[in-house]
Amino acid sequence: MGSIADAANKEVNGTASEKRPAVIFVLGGPGSGKGTQCAYIVDHFGYTHLSAGDLLRAEIKSGSENGTMIQNMIKEGKIVPSEVTIKLLQKAIQENGNDKFLIDGFPRNEENRAAFEKVTGIEPKFVLFFDCPEEEMERRLLGRNQGREDDNIETIRKRFKVFLESSLPVIQYYEAKGKVRKIHAAKPIEDVFQEVKAVFSPEAEKVKKNNSCAIL
């Protein structure tokens, strides 16, 4: 007899083949400004923004059995299995009426990447990589934490190290497939968005053109 989790998985997987959304992975180090730029992309190009971290936090807050399991793993310092995060992302995609999504801060490592493609059957259209020098990211993060620079500098540098060790192999994998769109993220917000717009505008025009043809 199948478990509740199996039934939920079956329900999500059963609908996966019916919906083939456009997915863009958004990656960048802490303080690279990707969250701000995601909000701009949502406003200008109509994407839905999904954050793996937000979905995990929402699941914990819901008090579900799954949420309790996630909370206990985080408390014990364990890594939440890729499949758990992926199922939350997949569920959010299936329940949303949109067909184009920004997935922010995921995949965090090669294992996440391989599992996402295997479980969902979805390969990203491309990866939007916010490339920002470590010194600039550090300056931005410390600027957010007024008066707590000495407490946070070590933690911030650990986060940079984790990003470099875990996420760069993912970027390199997609770069080899010609799927990375690198954004120079050290510039002011508006200048960065001009670069982002140049990546998205051809896609937007293509969609617009296809829709016009369909009407004709």
Side-chain angles (χ1 to χ4, degrees), residues 82-83 86 106 110-121:
S82 292
E83 283 74 13
I86 291 162
F106 186 92
E110 262 293 287
E111 196 266 332
N112 278 176
R113 178 203 64 73
F116 181 87
E117 292 189 11
K118 185 182 174 187
V119 172
T120 66

Side-chain angles (χ1 to χ4, degrees), residues 2 26 34 37 62 66 72 80-81 84 86 105 120 141 160 166 193 198 212:
V26 183
K34 60 188 172 62
Q37 295 298 325
S62 75
N66 202 29
N72 290 338
V80 177
V84 172
I86 291 162
T120 66
L141 290 170
F160 290 150
S166 303
F193 188 57
S212 301

